Amino acid sequence: MMNLETCERCEGSGADPMQALFDDDVVLCVECRGDGVLVAVDVVEERMLLSA
Ligand SMILES: [Zn+2]
């Protein structure tokens, strides 16, 4: 199961918030690679299946 979660680093904007504001070049967020969302795999369920 896969979920799309809003990237917490850039809050969905896709731009790295740590980039210099005066810079004309837009630095893509390193977390979501500019998508603004993260693909979250449900690893909890997988762990439960493995431990069962
Ligand atoms: Zn991001």
Side-chain angles (χ1 to χ4, degrees):
M1 183 175 180
M2 295 172 60
N3 296 314
L4 288 179
E5 296 183 351
T6 302
C7 180
E8 294 182 358
R9 180 177 170 85
C10 64
E11 297 181 327
S13 67
D16 196 322
M18 294 297 107
Q19 69 179 295
L21 295 177
F22 55 82
D23 196 333
D24 289 336
D25 295 327
V26 177
V27 181
L28 296 181
C29 177
V30 296
E31 290 290 329
C32 61
R33 299 176 184 176
D35 291 336
V37 291
L38 295 175
V39 178
V41 180
D42 195 344
V43 293
V44 177
E45 183 176 346
E46 187 173 336
R47 287 175 182 169
M48 290 178 65
L49 291 175
L50 290 175
S51 63

